[in-house]
Amino acid sequence: MQEEGAVPVARRQLDIESRSIWAGVAAGVVAIIVGLIAFRGYRPPLAGDGSVAIYASVVAGAMAGAAFVAGYVQNVRTVHLWLGARPVVRQIVDVAALLVVHASIATMSALVLFRLFQQAFSGLTVDPVAGTVMLAVSAGVAGYFGYTSGARITAVALSVMLAVFMASGMLVSMLYAENPLWWHSMFSELGTGQAGLTSFWTFNTTITTSGIILTTLSAFITRDLKRWAEVVATRRHDAGAPGRGHRNPGGRFLRPRPAVIRACLVVGGICMVGIGLFPVNTFERIHTSFVQVLAVALMVLLTGVPLWLPGFPKAFFLLTYMSVAALIAAALLWRPVQYYNLTALELAAAGIVFAWLVVFIRNTTAVVAAAGVAPAVPGLPAGVPAAPEGPDEASGNITKR
């Protein structure tokens, strides 16, 4: 049974790889056409005005976004059917945010890489053919990874993507800041416009889009956790049934609470959107309020993990409380110790929280798999097991397919 079910999955993976390659090829062809027109009779530098970096960032971003949408549509039609069953407005917002993330990562990667190479090879310019080849390679890679990301989107992939997007956005915002002393104030200084127009748009777009992606990520996480909670509840019911020892591990209070997890993540995402939409220099009180609520939501999530998710590995609980201790220590080093300024505190907190988030999602995936929840297969919504066979249906064993 398992081998038969593995065949369509393997074929689907092969189909994704084939389509991803075609997406990369198509993106490369478009880039070649753009390069031949843009660089004709001109030797562009790697970075700067009229450079390969400018054209590569635009073309790679556009191709990554288009390829992602194509792959995402295939994913919704074959695996994550529940994504297509949600309200249309929510679907549009999520797809738009994910498209922005993929396009932005490709765009920012091109800008940063070509700028680094230009600094390494100061004064270098390339001929039109070399510039076109660089453009085609950048677009081809963006198209390939954009499609495969959309076709294989999961909670783990989303968490890593969110961390990469945040890091890339902040890095570009810092690199292009016109005020070199922005860090003397706070991280939000990059979003005030005083650090430059590029930093302003990059910072606020990154924060706002990341907030939307966090709410999308919460839907993936909650779906897996709800299915896991159902399995845990079934096993506890069976354990407490007559003739089975009357055991009820954890009691009624200590039981999985996916709704609390989702509430914290959604509130956190909304706060990030608010932080991006209301710059600190223009809406200081509103901006500060969103930051404070975000901090509270994250602390509720981290400190209450053993209550919200009983049954997770003890090592994960230990890591969670180590993260909380690290956050408290970072705050104390800011005040009252005054070892560093607010910018350093924000960097430390962001690094700790996003590292924890990635580990949390990986543990969620592992715990759900260990509970016997069937992985996503073609024709079934993600996390929903295939129909069980025989008496296993009554016992809660949902591992068979």
PDB file of all heavy atoms in Angstrom, residues 341-374:
ATOM      1  N   ASN A 341      23.038  50.116  22.680  1.00  0.00           N
ATOM      2  CA  ASN A 341      21.868  50.980  22.483  1.00  0.00           C
ATOM      3  C   ASN A 341      20.659  50.162  22.030  1.00  0.00           C
ATOM      4  O   ASN A 341      20.713  48.925  21.921  1.00  0.00           O
ATOM      5  CB  ASN A 341      22.178  52.099  21.481  1.00  0.00           C
ATOM      6  CG  ASN A 341      22.500  51.562  20.096  1.00  0.00           C
ATOM      7  OD1 ASN A 341      22.466  50.355  19.858  1.00  0.00           O
ATOM      8  ND2 ASN A 341      22.818  52.451  19.178  1.00  0.00           N
ATOM      9  N   LEU A 342      19.561  50.849  21.717  1.00  0.00           N
ATOM     10  CA  LEU A 342      18.306  50.196  21.368  1.00  0.00           C
ATOM     11  C   LEU A 342      18.421  49.404  20.070  1.00  0.00           C
ATOM     12  O   LEU A 342      17.781  48.348  19.919  1.00  0.00           O
ATOM     13  CB  LEU A 342      17.206  51.254  21.240  1.00  0.00           C
ATOM     14  CG  LEU A 342      15.797  50.747  20.924  1.00  0.00           C
ATOM     15  CD1 LEU A 342      15.329  49.741  21.968  1.00  0.00           C
ATOM     16  CD2 LEU A 342      14.823  51.919  20.818  1.00  0.00           C
ATOM     17  N   THR A 343      19.218  49.869  19.133  1.00  0.00           N
ATOM     18  CA  THR A 343      19.382  49.160  17.862  1.00  0.00           C
ATOM     19  C   THR A 343      19.953  47.759  18.095  1.00  0.00           C
ATOM     20  O   THR A 343      19.488  46.783  17.497  1.00  0.00           O
ATOM     21  CB  THR A 343      20.306  49.952  16.914  1.00  0.00           C
ATOM     22  OG1 THR A 343      19.772  51.258  16.709  1.00  0.00           O
ATOM     23  CG2 THR A 343      20.439  49.246  15.579  1.00  0.00           C
ATOM     24  N   ALA A 344      20.962  47.661  18.943  1.00  0.00           N
ATOM     25  CA  ALA A 344      21.563  46.363  19.236  1.00  0.00           C
ATOM     26  C   ALA A 344      20.547  45.438  19.913  1.00  0.00           C
ATOM     27  O   ALA A 344      20.496  44.232  19.635  1.00  0.00           O
ATOM     28  CB  ALA A 344      22.791  46.539  20.125  1.00  0.00           C
ATOM     29  N   LEU A 345      19.721  45.999  20.815  1.00  0.00           N
ATOM     30  CA  LEU A 345      18.695  45.199  21.471  1.00  0.00           C
ATOM     31  C   LEU A 345      17.694  44.662  20.446  1.00  0.00           C
ATOM     32  O   LEU A 345      17.318  43.479  20.499  1.00  0.00           O
ATOM     33  CB  LEU A 345      17.959  46.040  22.506  1.00  0.00           C
ATOM     34  CG  LEU A 345      16.710  45.399  23.130  1.00  0.00           C
ATOM     35  CD1 LEU A 345      17.082  44.135  23.893  1.00  0.00           C
ATOM     36  CD2 LEU A 345      15.990  46.386  24.035  1.00  0.00           C
ATOM     37  N   GLU A 346      17.273  45.491  19.512  1.00  0.00           N
ATOM     38  CA  GLU A 346      16.312  45.070  18.491  1.00  0.00           C
ATOM     39  C   GLU A 346      16.902  43.980  17.607  1.00  0.00           C
ATOM     40  O   GLU A 346      16.218  43.015  17.243  1.00  0.00           O
ATOM     41  CB  GLU A 346      15.872  46.270  17.655  1.00  0.00           C
ATOM     42  CG  GLU A 346      15.037  47.268  18.431  1.00  0.00           C
ATOM     43  CD  GLU A 346      14.745  48.520  17.634  1.00  0.00           C
ATOM     44  OE1 GLU A 346      15.604  48.921  16.819  1.00  0.00           O
ATOM     45  OE2 GLU A 346      13.675  49.119  17.838  1.00  0.00           O
ATOM     46  N   LEU A 347      18.176  44.115  17.250  1.00  0.00           N
ATOM     47  CA  LEU A 347      18.839  43.086  16.443  1.00  0.00           C
ATOM     48  C   LEU A 347      18.911  41.765  17.206  1.00  0.00           C
ATOM     49  O   LEU A 347      18.618  40.695  16.646  1.00  0.00           O
ATOM     50  CB  LEU A 347      20.253  43.552  16.064  1.00  0.00           C
ATOM     51  CG  LEU A 347      20.384  44.493  14.869  1.00  0.00           C
ATOM     52  CD1 LEU A 347      21.815  45.006  14.771  1.00  0.00           C
ATOM     53  CD2 LEU A 347      19.973  43.789  13.582  1.00  0.00           C
ATOM     54  N   ALA A 348      19.296  41.826  18.475  1.00  0.00           N
ATOM     55  CA  ALA A 348      19.404  40.610  19.274  1.00  0.00           C
ATOM     56  C   ALA A 348      18.044  39.945  19.433  1.00  0.00           C
ATOM     57  O   ALA A 348      17.909  38.721  19.270  1.00  0.00           O
ATOM     58  CB  ALA A 348      19.996  40.937  20.642  1.00  0.00           C
ATOM     59  N   ALA A 349      17.003  40.731  19.737  1.00  0.00           N
ATOM     60  CA  ALA A 349      15.667  40.174  19.932  1.00  0.00           C
ATOM     61  C   ALA A 349      15.138  39.544  18.652  1.00  0.00           C
ATOM     62  O   ALA A 349      14.553  38.447  18.675  1.00  0.00           O
ATOM     63  CB  ALA A 349      14.719  41.264  20.421  1.00  0.00           C
ATOM     64  N   ALA A 350      15.327  40.224  17.526  1.00  0.00           N
ATOM     65  CA  ALA A 350      14.845  39.680  16.253  1.00  0.00           C
ATOM     66  C   ALA A 350      15.537  38.369  15.914  1.00  0.00           C
ATOM     67  O   ALA A 350      14.901  37.402  15.471  1.00  0.00           O
ATOM     68  CB  ALA A 350      15.074  40.696  15.133  1.00  0.00           C
ATOM     69  N   GLY A 351      16.848  38.309  16.142  1.00  0.00           N
ATOM     70  CA  GLY A 351      17.579  37.076  15.865  1.00  0.00           C
ATOM     71  C   GLY A 351      17.117  35.924  16.733  1.00  0.00           C
ATOM     72  O   GLY A 351      16.926  34.794  16.256  1.00  0.00           O
ATOM     73  N   ILE A 352      16.905  36.191  18.030  1.00  0.00           N
ATOM     74  CA  ILE A 352      16.459  35.141  18.954  1.00  0.00           C
ATOM     75  C   ILE A 352      15.075  34.633  18.585  1.00  0.00           C
ATOM     76  O   ILE A 352      14.828  33.420  18.516  1.00  0.00           O
ATOM     77  CB  ILE A 352      16.462  35.670  20.398  1.00  0.00           C
ATOM     78  CG1 ILE A 352      17.895  35.967  20.853  1.00  0.00           C
ATOM     79  CG2 ILE A 352      15.814  34.659  21.346  1.00  0.00           C
ATOM     80  CD1 ILE A 352      17.974  36.727  22.164  1.00  0.00           C
ATOM     81  N   VAL A 353      14.144  35.561  18.307  1.00  0.00           N
ATOM     82  CA  VAL A 353      12.759  35.177  18.035  1.00  0.00           C
ATOM     83  C   VAL A 353      12.648  34.392  16.737  1.00  0.00           C
ATOM     84  O   VAL A 353      11.966  33.349  16.680  1.00  0.00           O
ATOM     85  CB  VAL A 353      11.853  36.428  17.981  1.00  0.00           C
ATOM     86  CG1 VAL A 353      10.464  36.063  17.449  1.00  0.00           C
ATOM     87  CG2 VAL A 353      11.731  37.042  19.366  1.00  0.00           C
ATOM     88  N   PHE A 354      13.310  34.840  15.682  1.00  0.00           N
ATOM     89  CA  PHE A 354      13.179  34.142  14.404  1.00  0.00           C
ATOM     90  C   PHE A 354      13.906  32.803  14.417  1.00  0.00           C
ATOM     91  O   PHE A 354      13.464  31.850  13.766  1.00  0.00           O
ATOM     92  CB  PHE A 354      13.681  35.027  13.261  1.00  0.00           C
ATOM     93  CG  PHE A 354      12.644  35.993  12.778  1.00  0.00           C
ATOM     94  CD1 PHE A 354      12.622  37.298  13.214  1.00  0.00           C
ATOM     95  CD2 PHE A 354      11.658  35.584  11.894  1.00  0.00           C
ATOM     96  CE1 PHE A 354      11.657  38.188  12.793  1.00  0.00           C
ATOM     97  CE2 PHE A 354      10.682  36.458  11.445  1.00  0.00           C
ATOM     98  CZ  PHE A 354      10.677  37.771  11.904  1.00  0.00           C
ATOM     99  N   ALA A 355      15.008  32.711  15.143  1.00  0.00           N
ATOM    100  CA  ALA A 355      15.671  31.409  15.287  1.00  0.00           C
ATOM    101  C   ALA A 355      14.748  30.437  16.012  1.00  0.00           C
ATOM    102  O   ALA A 355      14.605  29.271  15.626  1.00  0.00           O
ATOM    103  CB  ALA A 355      16.987  31.570  16.036  1.00  0.00           C
ATOM    104  N   TRP A 356      14.094  30.916  17.081  1.00  0.00           N
ATOM    105  CA  TRP A 356      13.149  30.066  17.802  1.00  0.00           C
ATOM    106  C   TRP A 356      11.983  29.659  16.918  1.00  0.00           C
ATOM    107  O   TRP A 356      11.528  28.506  16.964  1.00  0.00           O
ATOM    108  CB  TRP A 356      12.618  30.800  19.035  1.00  0.00           C
ATOM    109  CG  TRP A 356      11.596  30.003  19.784  1.00  0.00           C
ATOM    110  CD1 TRP A 356      11.829  29.088  20.775  1.00  0.00           C
ATOM    111  CD2 TRP A 356      10.178  30.019  19.580  1.00  0.00           C
ATOM    112  NE1 TRP A 356      10.642  28.535  21.206  1.00  0.00           N
ATOM    113  CE2 TRP A 356       9.614  29.086  20.490  1.00  0.00           C
ATOM    114  CE3 TRP A 356       9.329  30.723  18.735  1.00  0.00           C
ATOM    115  CZ2 TRP A 356       8.245  28.852  20.564  1.00  0.00           C
ATOM    116  CZ3 TRP A 356       7.956  30.493  18.798  1.00  0.00           C
ATOM    117  CH2 TRP A 356       7.427  29.571  19.698  1.00  0.00           C
ATOM    118  N   LEU A 357      11.490  30.580  16.101  1.00  0.00           N
ATOM    119  CA  LEU A 357      10.336  30.293  15.243  1.00  0.00           C
ATOM    120  C   LEU A 357      10.652  29.178  14.253  1.00  0.00           C
ATOM    121  O   LEU A 357       9.836  28.274  14.029  1.00  0.00           O
ATOM    122  CB  LEU A 357       9.914  31.556  14.498  1.00  0.00           C
ATOM    123  CG  LEU A 357       8.664  31.442  13.608  1.00  0.00           C
ATOM    124  CD1 LEU A 357       7.451  31.090  14.449  1.00  0.00           C
ATOM    125  CD2 LEU A 357       8.437  32.742  12.834  1.00  0.00           C
ATOM    126  N   VAL A 358      11.834  29.230  13.658  1.00  0.00           N
ATOM    127  CA  VAL A 358      12.229  28.185  12.709  1.00  0.00           C
ATOM    128  C   VAL A 358      12.309  26.829  13.408  1.00  0.00           C
ATOM    129  O   VAL A 358      11.815  25.819  12.902  1.00  0.00           O
ATOM    130  CB  VAL A 358      13.578  28.536  12.042  1.00  0.00           C
ATOM    131  CG1 VAL A 358      14.082  27.366  11.198  1.00  0.00           C
ATOM    132  CG2 VAL A 358      13.441  29.783  11.166  1.00  0.00           C
ATOM    133  N   VAL A 359      12.927  26.803  14.597  1.00  0.00           N
ATOM    134  CA  VAL A 359      13.027  25.547  15.345  1.00  0.00           C
ATOM    135  C   VAL A 359      11.643  25.055  15.763  1.00  0.00           C
ATOM    136  O   VAL A 359      11.355  23.851  15.715  1.00  0.00           O
ATOM    137  CB  VAL A 359      13.927  25.733  16.587  1.00  0.00           C
ATOM    138  CG1 VAL A 359      13.952  24.466  17.433  1.00  0.00           C
ATOM    139  CG2 VAL A 359      15.346  26.095  16.155  1.00  0.00           C
ATOM    140  N   PHE A 360      10.770  25.976  16.169  1.00  0.00           N
ATOM    141  CA  PHE A 360       9.412  25.613  16.569  1.00  0.00           C
ATOM    142  C   PHE A 360       8.662  24.932  15.426  1.00  0.00           C
ATOM    143  O   PHE A 360       8.002  23.901  15.623  1.00  0.00           O
ATOM    144  CB  PHE A 360       8.665  26.870  17.021  1.00  0.00           C
ATOM    145  CG  PHE A 360       7.170  26.715  17.068  1.00  0.00           C
ATOM    146  CD1 PHE A 360       6.579  25.725  17.846  1.00  0.00           C
ATOM    147  CD2 PHE A 360       6.346  27.555  16.329  1.00  0.00           C
ATOM    148  CE1 PHE A 360       5.202  25.575  17.891  1.00  0.00           C
ATOM    149  CE2 PHE A 360       4.975  27.417  16.361  1.00  0.00           C
ATOM    150  CZ  PHE A 360       4.393  26.428  17.139  1.00  0.00           C
ATOM    151  N   ILE A 361       8.761  25.477  14.244  1.00  0.00           N
ATOM    152  CA  ILE A 361       8.033  24.906  13.104  1.00  0.00           C
ATOM    153  C   ILE A 361       8.614  23.557  12.714  1.00  0.00           C
ATOM    154  O   ILE A 361       7.877  22.624  12.364  1.00  0.00           O
ATOM    155  CB  ILE A 361       8.051  25.890  11.917  1.00  0.00           C
ATOM    156  CG1 ILE A 361       7.258  27.140  12.294  1.00  0.00           C
ATOM    157  CG2 ILE A 361       7.466  25.263  10.660  1.00  0.00           C
ATOM    158  CD1 ILE A 361       7.380  28.259  11.330  1.00  0.00           C
ATOM    159  N   ARG A 362       9.927  23.412  12.804  1.00  0.00           N
ATOM    160  CA  ARG A 362      10.535  22.115  12.510  1.00  0.00           C
ATOM    161  C   ARG A 362      10.104  21.076  13.543  1.00  0.00           C
ATOM    162  O   ARG A 362       9.840  19.917  13.201  1.00  0.00           O
ATOM    163  CB  ARG A 362      12.055  22.243  12.469  1.00  0.00           C
ATOM    164  CG  ARG A 362      12.576  23.098  11.314  1.00  0.00           C
ATOM    165  CD  ARG A 362      14.097  23.106  11.284  1.00  0.00           C
ATOM    166  NE  ARG A 362      14.600  21.796  10.937  1.00  0.00           N
ATOM    167  CZ  ARG A 362      14.791  21.355   9.697  1.00  0.00           C
ATOM    168  NH1 ARG A 362      14.491  22.114   8.666  1.00  0.00           N
ATOM    169  NH2 ARG A 362      15.277  20.158   9.474  1.00  0.00           N
ATOM    170  N   ASN A 363      10.003  21.469  14.795  1.00  0.00           N
ATOM    171  CA  ASN A 363       9.519  20.549  15.829  1.00  0.00           C
ATOM    172  C   ASN A 363       8.051  20.209  15.618  1.00  0.00           C
ATOM    173  O   ASN A 363       7.633  19.076  15.852  1.00  0.00           O
ATOM    174  CB  ASN A 363       9.728  21.159  17.213  1.00  0.00           C
ATOM    175  CG  ASN A 363      11.098  20.875  17.791  1.00  0.00           C
ATOM    176  OD1 ASN A 363      11.291  19.939  18.547  1.00  0.00           O
ATOM    177  ND2 ASN A 363      12.062  21.694  17.399  1.00  0.00           N
ATOM    178  N   THR A 364       7.274  21.184  15.182  1.00  0.00           N
ATOM    179  CA  THR A 364       5.864  20.928  14.885  1.00  0.00           C
ATOM    180  C   THR A 364       5.733  19.871  13.800  1.00  0.00           C
ATOM    181  O   THR A 364       4.943  18.925  13.917  1.00  0.00           O
ATOM    182  CB  THR A 364       5.160  22.219  14.440  1.00  0.00           C
ATOM    183  OG1 THR A 364       5.218  23.181  15.489  1.00  0.00           O
ATOM    184  CG2 THR A 364       3.707  21.949  14.077  1.00  0.00           C
ATOM    185  N   THR A 365       6.507  20.016  12.743  1.00  0.00           N
ATOM    186  CA  THR A 365       6.475  19.044  11.657  1.00  0.00           C
ATOM    187  C   THR A 365       6.860  17.655  12.151  1.00  0.00           C
ATOM    188  O   THR A 365       6.221  16.648  11.805  1.00  0.00           O
ATOM    189  CB  THR A 365       7.437  19.475  10.532  1.00  0.00           C
ATOM    190  OG1 THR A 365       7.063  20.776  10.063  1.00  0.00           O
ATOM    191  CG2 THR A 365       7.390  18.496   9.368  1.00  0.00           C
ATOM    192  N   ALA A 366       7.887  17.588  13.005  1.00  0.00           N
ATOM    193  CA  ALA A 366       8.345  16.294  13.515  1.00  0.00           C
ATOM    194  C   ALA A 366       7.313  15.665  14.454  1.00  0.00           C
ATOM    195  O   ALA A 366       7.056  14.457  14.389  1.00  0.00           O
ATOM    196  CB  ALA A 366       9.675  16.473  14.243  1.00  0.00           C
ATOM    197  N   VAL A 367       6.712  16.479  15.326  1.00  0.00           N
ATOM    198  CA  VAL A 367       5.722  15.954  16.271  1.00  0.00           C
ATOM    199  C   VAL A 367       4.481  15.465  15.541  1.00  0.00           C
ATOM    200  O   VAL A 367       3.924  14.407  15.864  1.00  0.00           O
ATOM    201  CB  VAL A 367       5.351  17.044  17.300  1.00  0.00           C
ATOM    202  CG1 VAL A 367       4.127  16.636  18.098  1.00  0.00           C
ATOM    203  CG2 VAL A 367       6.519  17.295  18.242  1.00  0.00           C
ATOM    204  N   VAL A 368       4.040  16.220  14.543  1.00  0.00           N
ATOM    205  CA  VAL A 368       2.866  15.817  13.765  1.00  0.00           C
ATOM    206  C   VAL A 368       3.133  14.501  13.042  1.00  0.00           C
ATOM    207  O   VAL A 368       2.293  13.593  13.019  1.00  0.00           O
ATOM    208  CB  VAL A 368       2.488  16.920  12.763  1.00  0.00           C
ATOM    209  CG1 VAL A 368       1.452  16.425  11.770  1.00  0.00           C
ATOM    210  CG2 VAL A 368       1.939  18.138  13.505  1.00  0.00           C
ATOM    211  N   ALA A 369       4.329  14.368  12.469  1.00  0.00           N
ATOM    212  CA  ALA A 369       4.676  13.122  11.779  1.00  0.00           C
ATOM    213  C   ALA A 369       4.757  11.957  12.766  1.00  0.00           C
ATOM    214  O   ALA A 369       4.302  10.847  12.485  1.00  0.00           O
ATOM    215  CB  ALA A 369       6.001  13.290  11.040  1.00  0.00           C
ATOM    216  N   ALA A 370       5.328  12.206  13.959  1.00  0.00           N
ATOM    217  CA  ALA A 370       5.451  11.154  14.959  1.00  0.00           C
ATOM    218  C   ALA A 370       4.088  10.698  15.476  1.00  0.00           C
ATOM    219  O   ALA A 370       3.926   9.547  15.895  1.00  0.00           O
ATOM    220  CB  ALA A 370       6.312  11.639  16.122  1.00  0.00           C
ATOM    221  N   ALA A 371       3.099  11.613  15.445  1.00  0.00           N
ATOM    222  CA  ALA A 371       1.757  11.262  15.910  1.00  0.00           C
ATOM    223  C   ALA A 371       1.010  10.399  14.907  1.00  0.00           C
ATOM    224  O   ALA A 371      -0.062   9.875  15.213  1.00  0.00           O
ATOM    225  CB  ALA A 371       0.956  12.525  16.197  1.00  0.00           C
ATOM    226  N   GLY A 372       1.569  10.242  13.713  1.00  0.00           N
ATOM    227  CA  GLY A 372       0.931   9.396  12.716  1.00  0.00           C
ATOM    228  C   GLY A 372       0.054  10.137  11.745  1.00  0.00           C
ATOM    229  O   GLY A 372      -0.688   9.508  10.988  1.00  0.00           O
ATOM    230  N   VAL A 373       0.098  11.485  11.747  1.00  0.00           N
ATOM    231  CA  VAL A 373      -0.687  12.241  10.781  1.00  0.00           C
ATOM    232  C   VAL A 373      -0.038  12.103   9.424  1.00  0.00           C
ATOM    233  O   VAL A 373       1.150  12.374   9.257  1.00  0.00           O
ATOM    234  CB  VAL A 373      -0.769  13.726  11.186  1.00  0.00           C
ATOM    235  CG1 VAL A 373      -1.522  14.528  10.139  1.00  0.00           C
ATOM    236  CG2 VAL A 373      -1.460  13.846  12.531  1.00  0.00           C
ATOM    237  N   ALA A 374      -0.809  11.663   8.450  1.00  0.00           N
ATOM    238  CA  ALA A 374      -0.259  11.391   7.126  1.00  0.00           C
ATOM    239  C   ALA A 374       0.218  12.671   6.475  1.00  0.00           C
ATOM    240  O   ALA A 374      -0.420  13.709   6.589  1.00  0.00           O
ATOM    241  CB  ALA A 374      -1.323  10.738   6.240  1.00  0.00           C
TER     242      ALA A 374
END
